[in-house]
Amino acid sequence: MHDRNLSRRTLLTATAVAAGAIASASPAVASSAVAGTARHDRLKRLIARMSLEEKIGQLFVMRVYGHSATAPDQADIDANLKEIGVRTAAELIERYHVGGIIYFAWAHNTRDPHQIAELSNGIQRAGLAQPTPVPLLISTDQEHGIVARVGKPATLVPGAMALGAGGSRADARAAARIAGSELAAMGIVQNYAPVADVNVNPANPVIGVRSFGSEPEAVARMVDAQVRGYRSAGIAATSKHFPGHGDTTVDSHTGIPVITHTREEWERIDAPPFRAAIAAGIDSIMTAHIQFPALDPSNDPATLSRPILTGILREELGYDGVVVTDALNMEGVRVKYGDDRVPVLALLAGVDQLLNPPDLAVAWNAVLEAVRSGELSVERIEESILRILRLKEKLGLLRDPFVTSRGVDRTVGTRSHLAAADRIAEGTTTVLTNPDGLLPLSRRSRPNLLVVGADPASPSGTTGPPTSVLAGAFTELGFTAGALSTGTAPTTAKIDEAVAAARGRDVVVVATYNVSATSSQRTLVDRLVATGVPVVALAIRNPYDIARLGGVGAAVASYSWTDVELRAAARVIAGRARPEGRLPVPVQRADDPTQTLFPVGHGLSYR
């Protein structure tokens, strides 16, 4: 996996020389305090070798298109030239000296595990070819559930709300350890997970099932478990989105949310998971592009708020790890200030890493000019670089940043990991209603099933539309099952088709997706119920759908539509696994949201 013209030995030697022999601590160091001082001095010497331009670059984490660091496809070269002004990841590093790169599936960074590993190695070779050789922090958003950038054959474990429904800290920690070890094998060392937001607003359009639930202490326990799981795998976890994005009806990708909690409510609701993350040794914390007037009356987004990031996070909570912004191309941080001011204000607020600005040249030059003009001191910049380098050293990047094909084969998508993911997922599936004992279906002598319903855009952990995955899972369990995708907004023609297909079936399973008051999914379910064929409603995202669905024979929640969660739901519905999941959020009545239909902790078992 290494370039013929620039050997691993040569690159690692260059790193050691430039860093003042960072890779080898003196065996004579007798105490951790002395060792810490020596490590600090070595990192400071490395910073002193950097030019101002290299120092600025260390603060940025940037996207780049392509499956290869040096030879991406022509379409990716064109995209890089258009958006960044470079052809490849290697050119990006050479020109801007960026300290990190973030992977996305849509940027064609994550085709398969071996390709990802080679891309990571190519990026690290480019980093070590700098005038001051420094490896990069390679990151991604691998939350699992509905947000996963790396798909099969890597192991996909249940997402946050599913794990919250399972309620097992051991499972949450095991899921993070599996996920982290596989990311590490592919050269991804910083994961933007776990989400520490407490989802107290069912209408939240951006967090929802990405949260572990609505109970602060329960979320805190899961965050603690996942941070420890990722740490045991040797990668950096990132709790997000500080100071808490769980109570909003606005998506910060497209607008600026306002959190109306009082300071006391923040302490009680939003703060506990972040406190737990810090106590567990979290390596990085991501900011939120939200206004929080009770914490900062200026109404600057939290990402740009010194009272929030320095006053609360640094000084009150005592956090001295890396602070990374949420993506700077999101509208929530761009509403109030221009793209040239945002990175400067973020650094003044207390940020260390500037993630994915919309125009890197504008952002990079703005920070450079702010240092040259004195608005940002060199000392302030070096403070952040020191935190970033500490993390790189902790993760072993300054010793050896490379990964191997053998490591990929031994770690990614192994039989034991896949079996563990299936076991964990079975414990998360939640049966909400089963009034007449329709479930488990095994009581009905292998009924003839029809699976219909929503087919949302697939996260990386899926092999096809949810209806097809479910029908395939039921077929493997010995049932006769057909599939018909009707979409998230089924037309009258599709509904008619589903009703016709239901005739002669023993049971219909309907996959629902965020059913609203006006959703035609309600009409689909009503029409199917009217056929007299028993209907099982499976909520494949937020578990609130049952509040708007009447007459169904049973209602189940899977919290996502990745293969692992859908297969587990099929096993529970079929009676091949016991339902053990319990709601981690309340479900309110649709006709009176002040009344609770199902409380936190609700979930049925089979007799």
Side-chain angles (χ1 to χ4, degrees), residues 142-144 157 172-173 175-181 183 191-194 223 225-238 283:
Q142 191 77 350
E143 297 173 14
H144 292 268
V157 296
R173 183 168 181 167
R177 185 177 63 251
I178 289 168
S181 66
L183 291 175
N191 190 20
Y192 297 135
V223 167
Q226 290 235 295
V227 170
R228 295 180 190 278
Y230 282 118
R231 290 189 68 195
S232 70
I235 74 166
T238 307
D283 289 307

Side-chain angles (χ1 to χ4, degrees), residues 459-471:
S460 295
T462 62
T463 55
T467 50
S468 297
V469 173
L470 282 166

Side-chain angles (χ1 to χ4, degrees), residues 155-523:
T155 304
L156 276 298
V157 296
M161 191 169 286
L163 291 171
S168 168
R169 295 177 66 185
D171 283 352
R173 183 168 181 167
R177 185 177 63 251
I178 289 168
S181 66
E182 295 197 7
L183 291 175
M186 294 179 276
I188 301 171
V189 295
Q190 185 177 19
N191 190 20
Y192 297 135
V195 170
D197 303 314
V198 181
N199 198 76
V200 294
N201 190 334
N204 194 323
V206 66
I207 303 301
V209 293
R210 298 168 63 197
S211 164
F212 291 103
S214 64
E215 299 289 304
E217 295 306 324
V219 173
R221 288 192 293 272
M222 290 291 151
V223 167
D224 171 273
Q226 290 235 295
V227 170
R228 295 180 190 278
Y230 282 118
R231 290 189 68 195
S232 70
I235 74 166
T238 307
S239 290
K240 58 187 184 184
H241 307 78
F242 190 83
H245 208 313
D247 189 6
T248 175
T249 58
V250 175
D251 185 344
S252 52
H253 291 84
T254 57
I256 177 70
V258 179
I259 306 296
T260 59
H261 291 181
T262 64
R263 174 63 192 246
E264 291 73 22
E265 288 172 326
W266 178 81
E267 290 280 2
R268 177 171 54 85
I269 298 171
D270 304 288
F274 291 101
R275 292 185 186 275
I278 293 168
I282 190 72
D283 289 307
S284 54
I285 290 177
M286 180 179 284
T287 67
H289 302 328
I290 58 173
Q291 293 176 341
F292 210 131
L295 304 185
D296 182 356
S298 76
N299 280 333
D300 279 344
T303 297
L304 310 181
S305 170
R306 186 169 179 83
I308 291 175
L309 298 187
T310 296
I312 295 177
L313 181 57
R314 296 284 191 208
E315 295 173 359
E316 291 186 27
L317 300 188
Y319 177 67
D320 192 38
V322 171
V323 174
V324 55
T325 70
D326 206 343
L328 296 182
N329 60 357
M330 294 167 59
E331 196 62 25
V333 78
R334 303 174 72 191
V335 168
K336 193 171 180 181
Y337 301 99
D339 292 337
D340 59 333
R341 293 300 298 157
V342 165
V344 175
L345 294 173
L347 291 168
L348 289 169
V351 158
D352 301 307
Q353 289 185 304
L354 301 163
L355 176 62
N356 204 22
D359 189 322
L360 179 59
V362 167
W364 193 90
N365 283 301
V367 174
L368 183 63
E369 179 55 33
V371 175
R372 286 175 172 167
S373 71
E375 182 180 12
L376 279 168
S377 68
V378 173
E379 290 76 17
R380 169 66 193 88
I381 297 298
E382 292 182 350
E383 177 185 320
S384 285
I385 298 171
L386 184 59
R387 290 194 186 99
I388 293 166
L389 291 180
R390 282 176 187 155
L391 181 54
K392 291 183 178 184
E393 183 181 53
K394 177 181 178 180
L395 297 173
L397 296 177
L398 300 182
R399 294 190 303 275
D400 182 359
F402 296 109
V403 293
T404 65
S405 293
R406 185 181 179 190
V408 171
D409 291 335
R410 288 187 307 185
T411 309
V412 179
T414 63
R415 184 175 301 177
S416 62
H417 283 180
L418 295 172
D422 283 336
R423 178 191 60 77
I424 292 169
E426 283 183 358
T428 69
T429 304
T430 307
V431 175
L432 300 176
T433 65
N434 190 27
D436 299 319
L438 174 62
L439 303 182
L441 295 183
S442 56
R443 294 172 179 165
R444 301 178 67 88
S445 301
R446 296 186 179 181
N448 185 337
L449 304 181
L450 174 67
V451 182
V452 304
D455 52 356
S458 297
S460 295
T462 62
T463 55
T467 50
S468 297
V469 173
L470 282 166
F474 284 119
T475 299
E476 290 177 5
L477 293 171
F479 297 97
T480 300
L484 174 63
S485 288
T486 52
T488 56
T491 63
T492 299
K494 271 294 180 186
I495 293 172
D496 289 342
E497 184 181 356
V499 169
R503 295 191 181 100
R505 304 281 185 167
D506 297 309
V507 176
V508 177
V509 177
V510 185
T512 65
Y513 179 92
N514 292 2
V515 178
S516 67
T518 59
S519 173
S520 58
Q521 293 180 73
R522 298 180 69 188
T523 305

